Amino acid sequence: MSDIKKTVIQLQNVTKRYGKIKVLDSIQFDLRKGEVHGLIGENGAGKSTTMKLLAGVYDDYDGELLINGKSKRFKSPADAQNNGIGMVYQELSIFRHLSVAENLFSRHLPHVSSIVSWKQMNGQAQKHLTELGLDIDVKETMGNLPVGNQQMIEIAKVIFSGADVLILDEPTSALSPPETRRLFDFISTLKEQGRSIIFISHFLEDVLAVTDRISIFKNGKKIETLETQQTDKQKLVGLMIGTEGKILQQLYKERRPAIPKLNAGEVVFSVDGLAKRNDFSDVSFSISKGEILGIFGFMGAGQIGLARCLFGADQADQGSITLKGKKIKLKNTTLARNAGIAYVPENRHNALMLQQEVFKNITLAHLHNLKGWILNKKTEIKVAATQIRNLKINPPDLFLPVAALSGGNQQKVVLGKWLTQLPDLLILNEPTRGIDIGAKDEVLSIIQDLRAKGVPILLITSEPEIILAVADRAFVMSRGRITANLSGIELTKENLMQHA
């Protein structure tokens, strides 16, 4: 009977489908009172789906959810919150221009008659934070606080709404080491107060540092639950990868075409000591003609900020960039594009005009080369038709709105936009994210063809299989720094994940 009292949440044989596809398969999971339970697994393992089910986002599943021993099925996030469960997402939902107190009370401002009582609000907010062990001025503007404090205010807001169970999704991904330690201290305080926490993270060191137990998910199934004190990072990595990890790795090696490196040793692009405060530091590397250099890292590792600096969207604080033997200053994206650098962002929708025709999207980056005094539409269509044919965009309709294409074909359009004229450097940021297996194969084939044509490629991804499939070598980033430089027999999935 005492064990039942200790268990605040149970999932019993929970299965969820999208159509005929099982995304969760007979999940068994439990959370105890005053416990931090870690949840780990590769992308697509089923972690987020399980937590959204607990948070009331999904209610169409088989199996049973028990809250304090009673069967529940939440119809909405508000329903879950009314039952004491709150989720803090990776992307914080803060109001940057409002005060800390206003953020805490954003859903229920205290009123005296019909007028907001600012004095009462500030007093209650300060009392609430003090009870949680947080020394933060509630009158301070939220946007002025460090990210770590914003994170803790977001957690406090969820607690303030009545949550005793907190689901934290990648809470340390954007935090510095000191901020992470402060968050861990805060979590310890919440544990002592009897609150229960599910801690989802790709950073295995953080999971090992802050949790009591760890559950490993893979392919929609829970593989195992371990006591944190009885495991280590190496064992966790092995469970996440599974027995098929080495088979997969061998498959990718067998698929990799034996393309001889073109002009071996001819460095086209290099960076030396590049750094941007609160993002990444001391990054140095070079890429040769016809080489694919992979960057592997999880969310918050610094690779996104690095890519933006290399395309002029942001500016580094220090370090140098050299292209074809000349040092260059990339003050904006126009200068980067004119220098011959192409960039495919992690969110393809940011690079597309979704309601515009396919041909307009493909020629967008090179309109200056296609017009004289006026834009030559016939030339524009001819150029786009070539890319549609070369990239096998389906359906091959020049005039179809891009929004009507599948995710994989939208990604091909983004690639086609930059390949009208071969770049001197192609930066690919998560080029296979959110597309199916068949589309991934096609995109990888395009990348390999570009390599064969001598295009230097910087391939940024959080999918180790993509690195293994096409990269000549790779370095790993974690918390803004390069933690490993891998090539040859050292370039394995285990090593990539061990250093991430």
Side-chain angles (χ1 to χ4, degrees):
M1 196 72 172
S2 59
D3 286 342
I4 295 175
K5 288 181 181 179
K6 288 181 181 178
T7 301
V8 293
I9 287 178
Q10 279 182 292
L11 291 176
Q12 295 183 344
N13 296 314
V14 167
T15 297
K16 178 169 172 56
R17 295 174 174 84
Y18 288 131
K20 294 181 180 179
I21 301 171
K22 279 186 183 180
V23 291
L24 296 180
D25 188 357
S26 302
I27 295 294
Q28 306 277 356
F29 178 84
D30 69 277
L31 178 68
R32 298 168 183 164
K33 185 176 177 63
E35 173 190 45
V36 180
H37 194 139
L39 194 57
I40 65 171
E42 297 182 81
N43 292 328
K47 308 183 302 295
S48 295
T49 302
T50 304
M51 292 306 105
K52 285 180 179 178
L53 184 149
L54 280 178
V57 177
Y58 302 133
D59 68 346
D60 53 335
Y61 59 89
D62 298 322
E64 193 172 20
L65 164 61
L66 300 174
I67 306 295
N68 295 316
K70 295 181 179 180
S71 182
K72 297 282 185 180
R73 186 171 294 250
F74 303 137
K75 298 297 183 183
S76 67
D79 192 9
Q81 205 164 72
N82 290 336
N83 282 272
I85 299 174
M87 186 162 180
V88 179
Y89 292 92
Q90 187 172 345
E91 297 295 330
L92 300 181
S93 57
I94 64 171
F95 299 99
R96 297 185 59 81
H97 301 296
L98 299 182
S99 70
V100 168
E102 288 169 314
N103 271 272
L104 283 171
F105 279 94
S106 58
R107 294 173 184 168
H108 37 257
L109 291 171
H111 291 77
V112 176
S113 299
S114 60
I115 301 172
V116 174
S117 174
W118 301 105
K119 182 178 180 180
Q120 183 182 344
M121 179 184 69
N122 289 335
Q124 286 186 21
Q126 200 70 66
K127 181 174 181 288
H128 177 56
L129 293 188
T130 300
E131 288 173 350
L132 293 176
L134 296 177
D135 183 18
I136 298 173
D137 183 0
V138 297
K139 296 179 182 178
E140 181 62 81
T141 301
M142 193 72 161
N144 293 339
L145 295 179
V147 176
N149 283 6
Q150 293 177 3
Q151 181 91 50
M152 289 187 281
I153 295 299
E154 187 83 343
I155 294 170
K157 183 169 72 174
V158 173
I159 294 171
F160 194 52
S161 68
D164 286 317
V165 173
L166 299 168
I167 303 169
L168 306 183
D169 185 16
E170 297 288 352
T172 61
S173 64
L175 303 187
S176 66
E179 287 176 322
T180 297
R181 286 193 292 272
R182 275 200 73 195
L183 177 64
F184 288 175
D185 289 342
F186 182 39
I187 288 173
S188 294
T189 299
L190 297 179
K191 274 182 60 179
E192 290 170 6
Q193 294 175 352
R195 293 185 172 89
S196 306
I197 296 167
I198 299 173
F199 187 94
I200 308 169
S201 181
H202 279 118
F203 295 111
L204 299 186
E205 293 92 344
D206 291 352
V207 176
L208 288 164
V210 77
T211 63
D212 300 293
R213 290 187 297 158
I214 303 170
S215 286
I216 302 93
F217 276 41
K218 183 174 179 61
N219 297 330
K221 297 181 180 181
K222 191 193 82 173
I223 302 301
E224 196 166 343
T225 296
L226 302 169
E227 297 289 334
T228 302
Q229 291 184 345
Q230 296 175 7
T231 190
D232 56 26
K233 185 174 181 180
Q234 187 172 357
K235 184 172 182 178
L236 294 178
V237 169
L239 288 168
M240 286 170 65
I241 293 173
T243 55
E244 73 269 31
K246 291 178 181 176
I247 300 170
L248 260 179
Q249 183 181 319
Q250 188 59 38
L251 277 174
Y252 280 121
K253 283 186 175 180
E254 289 172 1
R255 288 175 53 196
R256 185 185 300 205
I259 303 173
K261 183 175 282 191
L262 306 178
N263 299 313
E266 181 187 332
V267 173
V268 176
F269 183 83
S270 63
V271 301
D272 184 26
L274 215 62
K276 188 174 188 298
R277 202 171 81 177
N278 298 326
D279 206 341
F280 61 88
S281 61
D282 196 25
V283 173
S284 300
F285 64 85
S286 62
I287 309 177
S288 299
K289 188 174 182 180
E291 178 182 41
I292 299 175
L293 173 62
I295 301 180
F296 178 75
F298 295 126
M299 184 64 70
Q303 71 276 40
I304 306 299
L306 173 63
R308 288 178 58 82
C309 287
L310 297 181
F311 191 58
D314 292 327
Q315 282 71 55
D317 298 321
Q318 63 186 58
S320 63
I321 300 173
T322 303
L323 179 65
K324 295 191 293 189
K326 294 182 180 179
K327 287 190 177 181
I328 55 174
K329 294 282 187 182
L330 300 175
K331 296 181 179 179
N332 53 56
T333 56
T334 301
L335 288 175
R337 189 175 66 236
N338 291 342
I341 300 173
Y343 176 52
V344 175
E346 71 277 13
N347 185 342
R348 57 180 167 270
H349 290 172
N350 292 341
L352 293 169
M353 300 182 296
L354 291 171
Q355 302 309 317
Q356 294 295 323
E357 298 96 322
V358 169
F359 83 90
K360 289 182 179 178
N361 277 273
I362 288 176
T363 58
L364 182 64
H366 299 284
L367 288 179
H368 58 289
N369 294 327
L370 301 176
K371 65 181 181 180
W373 290 101
I374 58 172
L375 181 62
N376 187 328
K377 188 175 180 179
K378 285 185 179 179
T379 303
E380 194 179 1
I381 288 174
K382 183 179 178 181
V383 167
T386 300
Q387 292 301 328
I388 287 175
R389 185 170 59 253
N390 290 345
L391 300 176
K392 299 178 183 176
I393 294 171
N394 189 37
D397 187 341
L398 286 160
F399 304 101
L400 196 68
V402 169
L405 300 178
S406 68
N409 282 288
Q410 286 181 5
Q411 191 71 352
K412 290 182 189 178
V413 172
V414 178
L415 284 167
K417 167 182 168 181
W418 289 114
L419 302 181
T420 300
Q421 181 179 326
L422 288 181
D424 292 314
L425 174 70
L426 177 59
I427 304 171
L428 300 174
N429 196 344
E430 298 287 2
T432 58
R433 174 182 286 173
I435 60 179
D436 61 41
I437 297 295
K440 281 186 180 184
D441 278 345
E442 292 176 346
V443 169
L444 292 178
S445 292
I446 293 167
I447 293 170
Q448 289 169 326
D449 288 343
L450 291 169
R451 177 190 186 276
K453 291 174 182 175
V455 177
I457 299 171
L458 185 64
L459 173 62
I460 300 169
T461 181
S462 57
E463 298 180 80
E465 290 86 2
I466 302 306
I467 295 285
L468 297 175
V470 295
D472 296 288
R473 56 192 177 92
F475 62 83
V476 183
M477 287 189 74
S478 180
R479 300 195 185 281
R481 304 187 74 88
I482 295 176
T483 54
N485 197 333
L486 305 171
S487 60
I489 61 173
E490 292 183 341
L491 185 50
T492 65
K493 187 170 182 178
E494 288 90 342
N495 282 342
L496 287 169
M497 296 185 70
Q498 188 75 28
H499 293 283

